[in-house]
Amino acid sequence: MNAGQRSARRLASRSAPSSESICTSCLLRLSIQPRRYASAAVAEVERPTLDPSSQHIPPVTASAPRKAYRILASPVISRPPVLTRQLTDFEKAFYLYQKRLNERLALPFSRYFYFKKANPADLEWKRKARGRKSAARDIGVYSGYGDEAWNDEVLVGDVTAEPDNMREALLRDAAGQTIIEAEKVTDAEPGSDAVAEDAAALEVARQDLESRIDRPMPRATEADEKNDVKSLNRKLDRSLYLLLRNKEGRWRFPEDRLHARENLHQAAERIIVQAGGLNMNTWVVGNHPIGHFQFEFPKLQIQDIPYQKPDVEGENKIVTYRREEYGEKVFFMKSRIMAGQADLAKNTFDDQDFQWLAKEEIAEKVTPKYWQSIKNMLVER
Amino acid sequence: MQPPSMSLLRAFSPLCASLPIPPPVHCLNKSFSTNPSLLARKGKNKGPKPDQRIALLRYALQHPLTPRPLRFSRNRSLRHWTIHRAFQLHQANVRLAQTLSLEKQYRSMASACEALRLMDSDGLTEQEREQLGVKSAGAGPEKGEGGKLYRVAMEKKGIWEGVPIEYARAQVDTPPRAGWNHAWTR
């Protein structure tokens, strides 16, 4: 590669002592000077323009402002689904059908392999199995043996296939509820003290068992019932995204312009902290954007961009560069939240409100053009 | 020098044929085995009783009902076939929806990266530069600074470092008892 092929900007940046710490706009400013070397000889002629005295960056206000687009990074913070998806009715029915077919095909449960004969555990198992007719606990009362084995299809409207129902059946079995109901019918005469004592003791035993059983939490949480859009406990089987209402009152993902020499990943990490506070355990997934949004401003905006000169001390330390911005280009960065909650107390972008929303709820909040750009990168669940 | 061995000659010589040649070992045993065959023990010393669990396992595995027949009536087998096909169709639809969703995400990602690639450091593409009448020769994406954002975005170095362990959390059927940890602090 000869010198003539190199762009003036690269030459300028190579000759400048602190080229690594100069921001984009400064570098461009340097590059505006016509320094296209056709050959080394021309370079020799032009060398005097690069002497240390001319290294001083001229104030931007002297020349016309640069035309540009505002480049923004925007972390799309999502909470991944915690729960598996809700099964469709067809899936539920099909799974029960398969389980009952399996019951017809499986070998009989070899009880004496698992329980010693006439052990309490064996007797308990026998008693429970008598009630449900088979070893399986989540398929309703059905036996794959005998004359009724053909009757393995449930009727329309049967609730055996409902996951809640199956869970309840398993719990009932674990609690040994049938034991208590069966032993309530004792041989003792009604009205005697023995019966009352027995009943009380059984009731205590039943409550003790109940308390020891770990009942799973319901799938619909309190936040679901209240539709608390600020809570991360809502819609646990969906992805939720953090949306902020900015100072213009528009709902957007958190966003900010790129600072001096930031890349998109670094900017996303900074914006998450600046927008939602420190107390979010987040992870910016990749280096590349997952979507972009372009918007032309109705009229151009003049923007002064401050730049801190690294080598200079005193009043000349901070210089401003003026830019004419014709629009904005937003690059969305995928990020995940693992714990914590957003907090706008220390928000540096003057955002007013935040919400955790699923995909279809975002569509109602944002502008149609914004939705067109983001809808493909958001997942259904 | 040694005299030649007579053993071969002795073997074939009719003079020595009267000597009894032992028959091969395998001809002695009916079972064609070199192991000594044991006679069944009688009386008390019948040997160790097999483990009851093994007996039970063998009983369970060699149940007289294996393999169990699954007999369907004509209508029932037709119904079964219909159910099976319907579920296949349903699964295909679910898979298609997943694929489409992934494809949408991929397209979105690819077009964002393409927009990033075509953009110079001022955020302008070639067309936009023409429209706005910008004549900055050095700001093109392929030369120097312009493509920096794109170049860094395409870097794959260290992307597997720092993947949080929480990311491996599997989805479950019911929510955790404590719910989401809203009170997490750094």
Side-chain angles (χ1 to χ4, degrees):
Chain A
M1 193 164 111
N2 62 37
Q5 294 288 321
R6 287 180 194 142
S7 72
R9 279 175 60 249
R10 280 193 56 178
L11 276 181
S13 61
R14 275 179 65 214
S15 53
S18 60
S19 65
E20 276 307 303
S21 52
I22 288 182
C23 81
T24 315
S25 46
C26 317
L27 223 47
L28 284 174
R29 195 134 301 283
L30 282 173
S31 74
I32 287 170
Q33 298 164 10
R35 269 189 230 126
R36 294 221 146 225
Y37 305 134
S39 66
V42 184
E44 278 300 313
V45 173
E46 293 212 340
R47 179 133 310 162
T49 58
L50 283 174
D51 65 335
S53 64
S54 71
Q55 279 296 305
H56 172 69
I57 302 160
V60 182
T61 43
S63 60
R66 284 194 71 81
K67 294 170 177 175
Y69 267 63
R70 189 181 296 169
I71 305 173
L72 301 150
S74 174
V76 179
I77 310 171
S78 59
R79 188 222 58 196
V82 175
L83 298 186
T84 49
R85 80 185 156 90
Q86 201 92 42
L87 295 180
T88 62
D89 285 347
F90 177 45
E91 280 165 340
K92 287 178 206 163
F94 182 78
Y95 292 148
L96 179 66
Y97 177 73
Q98 289 291 312
K99 279 180 191 166
R100 288 205 167 176
L101 277 186
N102 179 58
E103 202 61 25
R104 282 181 75 166
L105 286 167
L107 287 176
F109 178 74
S110 47
R111 179 153 54 101
Y112 297 131
F113 179 67
Y114 295 98
F115 303 111
K116 202 169 175 136
K117 219 169 197 174
N119 239 13
D122 178 45
L123 295 177
E124 171 78 357
W125 196 90
K126 216 166 109 182
R127 188 189 53 74
K128 280 182 185 172
R130 207 183 298 129
R132 63 192 181 217
K133 287 192 182 175
S134 70
R137 291 158 298 174
D138 52 350
I139 57 167
V141 180
Y142 169 74
S143 169
Y145 293 88
D147 292 341
E148 285 294 300
W150 62 271
N151 193 11
D152 60 343
E153 288 171 297
V154 294
L155 300 178
V156 176
D158 196 293
V159 288
T160 316
E162 293 295 320
D164 283 344
N165 215 292
M166 283 183 185
R167 221 169 285 139
E168 199 52 46
L170 289 178
L171 285 170
R172 236 181 288 134
D173 193 78
Q177 260 182 9
T178 42
I179 225 185
I180 286 138
E181 280 164 16
E183 287 187 8
K184 262 180 187 168
V185 188
T186 50
D187 293 339
E189 286 167 26
S192 68
D193 288 350
V195 172
E197 268 176 30
D198 264 13
L202 278 171
E203 189 57 31
V204 168
R206 200 180 62 80
Q207 279 173 3
D208 180 47
L209 254 177
E210 280 280 322
S211 66
R212 268 189 287 152
I213 286 165
D214 234 4
R215 295 192 84 81
M217 301 290 282
R219 278 175 70 102
T221 58
E222 198 184 333
D224 274 319
E225 281 155 24
K226 287 194 221 154
N227 199 23
D228 181 6
V229 285
K230 289 205 193 302
S231 169
L232 281 155
N233 268 331
R234 200 176 63 102
K235 291 195 187 250
L236 284 170
D237 57 345
R238 300 285 309 275
S239 288
L240 294 186
Y241 297 93
L242 176 65
L243 237 70
L244 300 176
R245 198 173 71 219
N246 61 15
K247 53 179 182 255
E248 287 109 42
R250 287 199 199 92
W251 285 97
R252 293 278 201 109
F253 295 117
E255 62 185 17
D256 189 27
R257 64 167 67 240
L258 294 184
H259 284 180
R261 288 187 63 82
E262 263 179 343
N263 58 47
L264 288 170
H265 187 99
Q266 292 162 341
E269 281 178 345
R270 171 179 61 80
I271 293 162
I272 289 173
V273 173
Q274 284 187 350
L278 268 173
N279 294 334
M280 282 200 292
N281 186 5
T282 51
W283 179 50
V284 180
V285 175
N287 290 331
H288 60 263
I290 54 164
H292 78 296
F293 167 65
Q294 185 168 349
F295 180 66
E296 323 287 333
F297 294 143
K299 66 175 194 189
L300 69 93
Q301 298 185 8
I302 307 286
Q303 194 79 33
D304 288 326
I305 295 162
Y307 169 61
Q308 253 187 350
K309 284 201 256 179
D311 305 338
V312 187
E313 291 300 326
E315 58 181 24
N316 286 338
K317 174 94 176 151
I318 294 174
V319 278
T320 17
Y321 297 97
R322 180 154 286 186
R323 296 211 305 184
E324 285 177 359
E325 290 178 336
Y326 289 82
E328 61 182 359
K329 291 185 178 180
V330 187
F331 291 93
F332 299 106
M333 302 296 292
K334 177 170 175 165
S335 35
R336 293 287 208 188
I337 180 166
M338 262 74 70
Q341 170 68 298
D343 177 23
L344 297 192
K346 286 181 182 166
N347 185 294
T348 56
F349 309 126
D350 295 334
D351 292 319
Q352 299 159 9
D353 197 8
F354 76 89
Q355 288 186 353
W356 290 97
L357 300 173
K359 185 177 181 179
E360 72 274 357
E361 294 165 329
I362 293 175
E364 298 160 11
K365 292 272 178 191
V366 299
T367 58
K369 189 159 190 304
Y370 195 68
W371 174 245
Q372 285 302 316
S373 324
I374 63 172
K375 69 174 179 187
N376 282 345
M377 72 181 184
L378 304 180
V379 289
E380 294 293 338
R381 65 175 299 272
Chain B
M1 191 179 162
Q2 267 189 330
S5 166
M6 298 293 285
S7 57
L8 240 175
L9 181 69
R10 218 178 280 136
F12 291 102
S13 155
L15 291 173
C16 306
S18 57
L19 287 173
I21 297 169
V25 178
H26 63 261
C27 293
L28 289 173
N29 295 330
K30 270 185 214 160
S31 60
F32 199 71
S33 165
T34 51
N35 287 345
S37 55
L38 295 173
L39 292 173
R41 276 184 282 189
K42 282 171 193 165
K44 265 187 188 176
N45 282 342
K46 260 195 160 179
K49 209 180 158 191
D51 193 345
Q52 197 203 1
R53 285 169 299 184
I54 295 172
L56 278 168
L57 257 185
R58 287 183 54 205
Y59 171 76
L61 289 173
Q62 297 162 1
H63 198 271
L65 285 177
T66 35
R68 291 188 63 193
L70 184 67
R71 298 200 186 90
F72 280 163
S73 72
R74 182 180 176 78
N75 272 346
R76 174 69 202 270
S77 57
L78 285 175
R79 197 155 67 238
H80 179 79
W81 183 85
T82 313
I83 292 170
H84 173 72
R85 292 305 303 163
F87 195 72
Q88 300 284 86
L89 199 62
H90 170 71
Q91 274 187 315
N93 287 341
V94 169
R95 245 177 265 135
L96 185 67
Q98 278 173 348
T99 316
L100 278 179
S101 164
L102 278 179
E103 190 150 335
K104 275 181 189 172
Q105 289 173 61
Y106 176 77
R107 293 272 158 226
S108 166
M109 208 156 69
S111 69
C113 290
E114 183 66 4
L116 200 61
R117 187 176 75 82
L118 296 175
M119 205 178 71
D120 65 11
S121 56
D122 280 338
L124 301 174
T125 60
E126 193 75 42
Q127 284 175 333
E128 284 158 353
R129 242 178 286 149
E130 269 173 31
Q131 280 173 7
L132 298 175
V134 180
K135 289 171 288 185
S136 56
E142 62 284 332
K143 297 176 200 157
E145 183 79 356
K148 185 201 146 204
L149 275 183
Y150 175 70
R151 200 178 62 241
V152 176
M154 288 301 109
E155 243 173 38
K156 297 287 178 278
K157 200 172 66 192
I159 49 168
W160 294 110
E161 286 160 21
V163 178
I165 187 70
E166 293 94 330
Y167 213 58
R169 186 170 190 152
Q171 292 175 18
V172 287
D173 274 347
T174 55
R177 206 155 292 280
W180 182 265
N181 183 6
H182 285 106
W184 187 88
T185 50
R186 197 172 284 282

